[in-house]
Amino acid sequence: MELKVFKFLSLLLLATPSLAGRLAKKPQMGWNSWNTFKYAVDEKLIKSTAMRLVDTGLARLGYDYVNIDDGWQTYQRDSNGHQQANATKFPNGIKAVADYVHSLGLKLGIYSDAGIYDCGFYPGSHGYEELDASLYAQWDVDYLKYDNCGGFQMNTLSAQERFLRMSYALKNSGREIFYSLCEWGHQFRWLWADQFSESYRMSGDIHSAYRADKSGVCTTAYCLNTGYAGVSDLTMIRKMRELSPFQKPGAWADMDMLEIGTGTMTEYQEQTHFSFWAALKSPLIIGADINNISDSSLAILKNKDIISISQDDLGRAANYLPELSEEGEYQIWAGPLSSGRSRHVILVQNYGSKAINVTLPLASVSGLEKRADRTGLVIRDVWASVDSGKLGETIELKNVEVDQVKVLVLKKR
Ligand code: GAL
């Protein structure tokens, strides 16, 4: 990028105090079509999923965005330059789907891309930002997931500039539309995306696997990778070691859609997945087919204690505690909470190969160093649904099984 353009953009970013924020005081919750259905999205699927969110009680718990991912469009814009919904998949158009979703008290999301094409070679929004944003507003869309596939063709135009253009277009569209960036692994977006979006993907795509990454996946936040990385659950959690301190209301690092209920994980593994997405303040967007989901996976997605950790008023993520963890064996993360009686959350997760006993010295946990910090606190073991006695100097955990996570919420008595 030329120096002059860069300076102009930097000034623009600094001069833009709050384009983001109001819609994302808490990490967003909902459902997205991509993980399970890929390009096979249609009106029937979106409507039945919206209805199912209501029927299962998920909607009441906060899962209120119904997000159509890639594949809703046609390959050509119309003669006025407008993106068009595929008439076979959406015979009544997107507005009719939005009306239905709204009639259930839910919100509708849509997908586009900051390049000439998106990942499926449908028309991206680059150069059409104003037109597309105003079309989404006319359709009463509430959420835009904005991808970066076409970004590879843009050469010198930086991601910051392309994503900022759509941010302005949305602000000028006349409708409040949640702006969710999907710019995966490049340009360290946690350093800039908070200026103009509500959430931003911090990695290449997740895939339905607890431990196994696809080849070429990098395991830290700062190594560059591509959009189709095939990141496992454990690796996504690993990448957040560098990023959890960046989490803040109004600009959530997005660990990608949940794979709970997609059929590859055990109950302990799904509990681990959900606990970390919640405690690290990632958006909670279900990626499974909720019309065909096991009772056990549904119960995990509906765990109220875990959802409360995600939606806590403070909006601070748990941080990794390397001094208390054992690399390759178990990981300990902790962070503050401030809703109701909850004050702290501690996660102890066994990702090794044998059951473990863990002694946790509370004086080593930030915010609990002094005895006075711990006075009057009691422990709730979330997945065991057990409230236990008051806090001492240490917490003793016996026999934490392989893949299991212990989520301990420390509460005021
Ligand atoms: C990827 C994105 C996925 C999905 C896909 C659609 O770039 O990370 O979440 O949206 O594009 O083609």
Side-chain angles (χ1 to χ4, degrees):
M1 188 182 353
E2 275 187 36
L3 194 61
K4 263 196 286 184
V5 179
F6 180 74
K7 277 189 180 156
F8 169 71
L9 271 172
S10 311
L11 283 174
L12 205 59
L13 287 174
L14 290 173
T16 309
S18 181
L19 277 178
R22 277 194 319 118
L23 296 173
K25 291 203 170 79
K26 312 276 169 84
Q28 71 269 30
M29 297 173 68
W31 175 89
N32 173 293
S33 53
W34 182 253
N35 287 14
T36 300
F37 297 97
K38 300 289 184 283
Y39 298 102
V41 282
D42 61 22
E43 178 175 325
K44 204 166 141 238
L45 171 71
I46 302 304
K47 283 183 162 180
S48 67
T49 301
M51 182 50 98
R52 180 87 173 133
L53 281 173
V54 174
D55 288 346
T56 50
L58 286 163
R60 230 184 7 255
L61 291 167
Y63 295 92
D64 58 359
Y65 283 108
V66 185
N67 294 345
I68 311 173
D69 208 282
D70 205 358
W72 62 269
Q73 324 88 316
T74 56
Y75 286 110
Q76 301 289 336
R77 289 175 176 271
D78 71 13
S79 52
N80 297 316
H82 287 123
Q83 283 179 329
Q84 317 177 73
N86 177 312
T88 312
K89 295 176 176 176
F90 293 94
N92 301 300
I94 301 296
K95 169 86 169 81
V97 180
D99 289 347
Y100 178 80
V101 166
H102 293 153
S103 75
L104 298 177
L106 304 174
K107 296 177 268 185
L108 186 75
I110 209 163
Y111 164 99
S112 191
D113 190 287
I116 298 166
Y117 301 108
D118 73 7
C119 305
F121 295 97
Y122 297 104
S125 294
H126 176 66
Y128 292 86
E129 290 88 352
E130 297 281 338
L131 200 65
D132 292 353
S134 78
L135 188 65
Y136 306 148
Q138 279 166 40
W139 287 344
D140 287 342
V141 163
D142 305 290
Y143 185 111
L144 175 66
K145 172 173 169 180
Y146 205 47
D147 209 345
N148 193 35
C149 273
F152 295 124
Q153 302 125 7
M154 305 309 302
N155 297 322
T156 54
L157 251 195
S158 74
Q160 285 94 330
E161 179 166 357
R162 290 181 289 107
F163 282 87
L164 183 61
R165 284 182 184 183
M166 181 51 95
S167 171
Y168 279 120
L170 291 174
K171 296 297 157 195
N172 294 332
S173 72
R175 186 171 172 85
E176 236 175 18
I177 297 181
F178 190 109
Y179 190 29
S180 153
L181 262 55
C182 180
E183 197 263 350
W184 350 279
H186 306 287
Q187 281 113 15
F188 313 136
R189 69 222 72 67
W190 41 94
L191 301 177
W192 52 267
D194 64 336
Q195 303 289 310
F196 55 81
S197 70
E198 273 81 30
S199 70
Y200 56 91
R201 281 270 301 280
M202 41 59 74
S203 160
D205 295 9
I206 195 169
H207 75 143
S208 183
Y210 168 71
R211 186 186 294 273
D213 294 320
K214 287 197 178 159
S215 66
V217 163
C218 66
T219 53
T220 75
Y222 280 93
C223 54
L224 294 175
N225 61 0
T226 63
Y228 289 95
V231 182
S232 69
D233 246 49
L234 285 182
T235 297
M236 202 65 90
I237 296 167
R238 165 64 193 83
K239 285 170 184 261
M240 286 300 285
R241 287 189 197 177
E242 290 96 6
L243 301 187
S244 62
F246 287 93
Q247 288 292 42
K248 61 179 177 186
W252 305 110
D254 176 353
M255 298 165 72
D256 207 356
M257 279 84 75
L258 297 162
E259 294 285 3
I260 294 157
T262 55
T264 59
M265 285 179 242
T266 65
E267 190 172 8
Y268 276 159
Q269 293 171 349
E270 292 198 337
Q271 287 177 353
T272 289
H273 185 0
F274 198 47
S275 305
F276 275 93
W277 263 240
L280 300 184
K281 302 290 184 283
S282 171
L284 298 179
I285 306 286
I286 300 169
D289 176 1
I290 55 170
N291 285 301
N292 291 292
I293 191 168
S294 70
D295 290 347
S296 143
S297 298
L298 194 57
I300 289 171
L301 292 168
K302 291 178 70 175
N303 186 295
K304 285 187 184 161
D305 286 319
I306 301 288
I307 292 174
S308 305
I309 295 168
S310 154
Q311 304 291 297
D312 181 73
D313 290 338
L314 197 60
R316 296 248 308 272
N319 289 321
Y320 180 59
L321 304 181
E323 324 76 42
L324 299 183
S325 304
E326 194 64 50
E327 192 71 56
E329 299 293 330
Y330 61 91
Q331 47 185 329
I332 301 186
W333 297 65
L337 299 173
S338 77
S339 296
R341 293 188 296 123
S342 301
R343 290 295 171 269
H344 288 271
V345 60
I346 300 175
L347 295 90
V348 179
Q349 200 260 341
N350 180 353
Y351 66 112
S353 52
K354 55 181 187 312
I356 48 165
N357 300 326
V358 177
T359 300
L360 191 68
L362 287 167
S364 312
V365 175
S366 165
L368 295 173
E369 292 94 341
K370 295 191 239 82
R371 189 181 286 248
D373 299 331
R374 307 193 287 271
T375 313
L377 294 182
V378 292
I379 306 174
R380 177 161 178 79
D381 178 338
V382 168
W383 290 111
S385 287
V386 169
D387 294 305
S388 52
K390 59 181 184 172
L391 282 185
E393 294 296 311
T394 59
I395 293 178
E396 305 284 339
L397 294 169
K398 298 273 179 242
N399 207 26
V400 183
E401 304 276 356
V402 172
D403 301 339
Q404 189 179 9
V405 64
K406 283 285 185 185
V407 178
L408 307 174
V409 173
L410 310 189
K411 294 180 166 235
K412 280 264 178 223
R413 247 185 299 209

